[in-house]
Amino acid sequence: MTRPVVLIAEELSPATVEVLGPDVEVRSVDGTDRSALLTAVAQADALLVRSATLVDAEVYAAAPKLRVVARAGVGLDNVDVPAATAAGVMVINAPTSNIVSAAELAVTLILASLRNLGRADASMKQGKWERKALTGTELLGKTVGVVGFGRIGQLVAERLAPFGVHLLAYDPYVNHTRAAELGARVVELDELMRESDVVTVHMPKTPETTGLIGAEQLAMAKPTLHVVNAARGGLIDEHALVEALTSGRIAGAALDVYSSEPPSASPSAAKLLELDNVTLTPHLGASTAEAQEKAGTAVAQSVRLALAGELVPDAVNVAGGAIDDLVRPGVALADRLGQLFTVMAGEAPELLDIVIRGEIASRDVTALKLSVLRGVFRSVVTEQVSYVNAPVLAEERGITVNLETHEGTERFRNEIQVRGTLRDGEVVSVSGTLSGVDQIHKLIEVAGHPLDVTLSDHLMMIRYEDRPGQIGQYGALLGEAGVNIAGMQVSRAGDGPGAEALVILNLDQSAPRELAERIGEAIGARAIHTVDIAY
């Protein structure tokens, strides 16, 4: 019997090859040599890469036997996941391989900033002896604010506790019980910024979290504050950070990630290179031998499972088990609705109802539930969300998840609704369907407002009191910003001026958060959200 071919396109550890086992034929190719890659992949059943090999539609077209692409690491920037899905290729990564390394680096940066270690090292190498000028600060007794209390944030909290610190946590999706177990008090971001001596950031980067800590938040801080970011570049507004550091508004910062990398490529980030009270490292979060080894062996194990036709926990684009042909088209829609729900809710629901109506309700719709949960958590946690770990993420956050099925439906052939009840009793809901021969994703309900509008990649949703001229105002502001409206629908709860209106705007590109805030202020919006759908 012919053994499956596993093609390794970048250097991986001997342990990785060992985990693949004797039941596969291992071949190697230089993934950066495009011609060689396209030739070699034609015979491959599995392809293993790190970050240097581009895996796109051209690669899938050249690989008729390819069943799985494995990225030995966390990110998937070099792997075209939608094209893989279209080609029927499973994509795997190693979402937790670097979490310990990232947490340890964050703690290292906290200590380095408090004790001026970067400046001290540079000073000594210049032949200086500046003990007095480099006097630092103890961590004992200080208040540390952890922004983002997912897996890495919790690991940081665990490692900081023995230092005798007071822990604060901010995360709209935090499990309060788990935070209490780790000795952290859950607070709002403003309170965390006011009370903390150190703030360390561990959030995913989304339109909602970009610039999460900006001039307004830094203005609340103690002048002794040290800020650390070892998560994603851009979570801290670098221009505002430079202003705060140069004016003495805060004492110091330590960064491993930047809005543009290397930071010299961005004017705002480049100014950080000139400051003495900043400790900088070149994106070293996952750069440990242990993290690289874990990534390689983890994906090798997943490749073995995939080639054997077994459930793969770290698959990012394929749910475990067979999916009914009638249900399969709704999987991507369910994911999108989950993403939209998260933006609208802004926090973890206590109860999440996933309601399936129509003829698909008679089939096994477990894949739709898993896909909704995957969408819900995509922008909430820093690790990759899979169909396997999504229910675990819900359980960890104390979210009760119900799946309801009803074969009857009033408006459309099939409907998927995501409905969540928040801590204060507010109910947030969003519904969608597939329309026409091309199975177009449609929004059919948001917050109780009936709709029939395309669920595009870039949306703006605005709830406001309907008055003459409102559409003109936000249309003009979008136009001034160069953001084109590709389509829209307005739904009103009631008749005449003064009724609540909900408008869904299909945009040709992402709308910056600052633009949304200006629109909201201009029309007195009750709520405004921008949504960029991830794949």
Side-chain angles (χ1 to χ4, degrees):
M1 182 176 177
T2 304
R3 293 182 298 168
V5 174
V6 177
L7 183 65
I8 298 178
E10 298 179 51
E11 185 177 354
L12 296 170
S13 69
T16 300
V17 178
E18 185 177 341
V19 170
L20 287 170
D23 297 329
V24 301
E25 179 185 345
V26 177
R27 300 179 186 176
S28 297
V29 68
D30 179 358
T32 62
D33 183 334
R34 192 67 174 178
S35 176
L37 173 66
L38 294 175
T39 300
V41 80
Q43 299 300 317
D45 296 276
L47 174 63
L48 270 67
V49 302
R50 283 198 185 277
S51 58
T53 302
L54 177 63
V55 186
D56 57 9
E58 185 181 28
V59 171
Y60 302 129
K65 297 174 59 182
L66 193 63
R67 287 185 274 166
V68 57
V69 171
R71 159 77 163 94
V74 176
L76 287 165
D77 293 346
N78 58 314
V79 178
D80 189 332
V81 178
T85 304
V89 176
M90 179 184 293
V91 177
I92 295 164
N93 68 346
T96 62
S97 59
N98 73 338
I99 59 174
V100 171
S101 295
E104 289 182 355
L105 179 62
V107 175
T108 301
L109 291 174
I110 289 171
L111 294 169
S113 188
L114 289 173
R115 297 305 301 271
N116 300 310
L117 296 188
R119 289 171 58 197
D121 178 70
S123 173
M124 288 290 290
K125 290 175 179 176
Q126 292 171 10
K128 299 177 183 178
W129 188 260
E130 298 181 300
R131 291 180 65 191
K132 186 175 182 180
L134 294 169
T135 300
T137 303
E138 285 187 353
L139 191 52
L140 176 66
K142 300 300 186 295
T143 297
V144 179
V146 183
V147 178
F149 214 67
R151 290 189 181 182
I152 296 176
Q154 290 177 30
L155 288 174
V156 170
E158 288 176 345
R159 284 151 179 74
L160 288 174
F163 284 92
V165 300
H166 305 291
L167 289 168
L168 301 178
Y170 165 73
D171 189 327
Y173 278 75
V174 70
N175 181 323
H176 288 241
T177 302
R178 177 59 177 156
E181 290 173 353
L182 293 172
R185 181 164 60 92
V186 180
V187 297
E188 293 299 320
L189 182 59
D190 288 357
E191 183 177 351
L192 181 144
M193 291 300 302
R194 286 193 298 267
E195 295 189 13
S196 296
D197 300 292
V198 175
V199 169
T200 178
V201 183
H202 303 283
M203 298 282 272
K205 186 177 181 181
T206 69
E208 303 294 324
T209 61
T210 298
L212 182 69
I213 298 179
E216 181 181 350
Q217 288 72 34
L218 293 169
M220 302 174 185
K222 300 176 182 178
T224 53
L225 177 68
H226 289 252
V227 180
V228 173
N229 185 8
R232 295 288 187 271
L235 297 177
I236 300 174
D237 183 318
E238 289 164 350
H239 177 75
L241 180 61
V242 169
E243 289 294 318
L245 290 164
T246 54
S247 67
R249 176 63 266 175
I250 65 171
L255 307 176
D256 184 53
V257 289
Y258 312 90
S259 59
S260 178
E261 295 184 359
S264 56
S266 165
S268 60
K271 292 180 181 178
L272 294 165
L273 302 172
E274 304 169 6
L275 302 181
D276 288 335
N277 53 346
V278 182
T279 301
L280 305 175
T281 53
H283 205 148
L284 298 177
S287 297
T288 64
E290 292 82 359
Q292 298 301 313
E293 184 91 333
K294 290 175 190 173
T297 56
V299 296
Q301 181 61 39
S302 292
V303 166
R304 288 185 59 180
L305 293 172
L307 293 178
E310 298 181 25
L311 180 67
V312 182
D314 290 331
V316 300
N317 66 333
V318 180
I323 302 175
D324 188 282
D325 288 341
L326 194 62
V327 174
R328 185 178 296 276
V331 169
L333 172 64
D335 188 314
R336 288 178 152 220
L337 292 173
Q339 294 181 56
L340 186 56
F341 172 84
T342 292
V343 173
M344 293 173 56
E347 64 178 68
E350 290 191 340
L351 174 65
L352 186 67
D353 294 313
I354 299 165
V355 185
I356 312 300
R357 297 185 177 92
E359 61 185 47
I360 60 172
S362 63
R363 311 297 178 94
D364 181 357
V365 292
T366 304
L368 299 182
K369 171 187 172 181
L370 296 175
S371 194
V372 166
L373 290 174
R374 183 168 180 250
V376 165
F377 289 108
R378 273 180 181 266
S379 64
V380 171
V381 299
T382 53
E383 64 263 34
Q384 191 76 37
V385 182
S386 72
Y387 294 102
V388 175
N389 72 354
V392 177
L393 293 171
E395 183 178 354
E396 288 175 347
R397 286 155 178 79
I399 302 172
T400 300
V401 181
N402 293 326
L403 176 63
E404 297 180 20
T405 57
H406 306 279
E407 294 186 27
T409 179
E410 295 182 1
R411 297 176 61 202
F412 299 92
R413 183 178 177 185
N414 292 298
E415 299 176 1
I416 302 172
Q417 182 182 51
V418 184
R419 185 178 66 229
T421 304
L422 308 185
R423 285 195 297 271
D424 62 0
E426 179 186 357
V427 176
V428 176
S429 65
V430 56
S431 303
T433 192
L434 297 168
S435 175
V437 176
D438 295 329
Q439 302 282 274
I440 302 298
H441 292 182
K442 288 289 191 76
L443 271 177
I444 59 174
E445 176 267 333
V446 170
H449 289 264
L451 297 162
D452 186 356
V453 62
T454 301
L455 176 49
S456 61
D457 293 347
H458 307 290
L459 298 173
M460 181 175 288
M461 302 186 299
I462 315 173
R463 290 170 62 184
Y464 57 94
E465 182 182 322
D466 194 24
R467 299 189 304 272
Q470 297 286 66
I471 293 175
Q473 286 191 70
Y474 54 73
L477 288 168
L478 286 164
E480 290 171 8
V483 178
N484 189 56
I485 300 173
M488 64 180 291
Q489 185 174 6
V490 178
S491 177
R492 294 199 309 183
D495 297 323
E500 179 180 272
L502 170 74
V503 63
I504 305 293
L505 301 173
N506 298 118
L507 305 178
D508 281 338
Q509 67 259 52
S510 178
R513 187 174 64 180
E514 296 79 7
L515 173 60
E517 290 173 352
R518 288 204 306 273
I519 290 172
E521 292 173 2
I523 67 171
R526 294 170 181 170
I528 184 165
H529 304 285
T530 58
V531 185
D532 296 307
I533 300 295
Y535 288 91

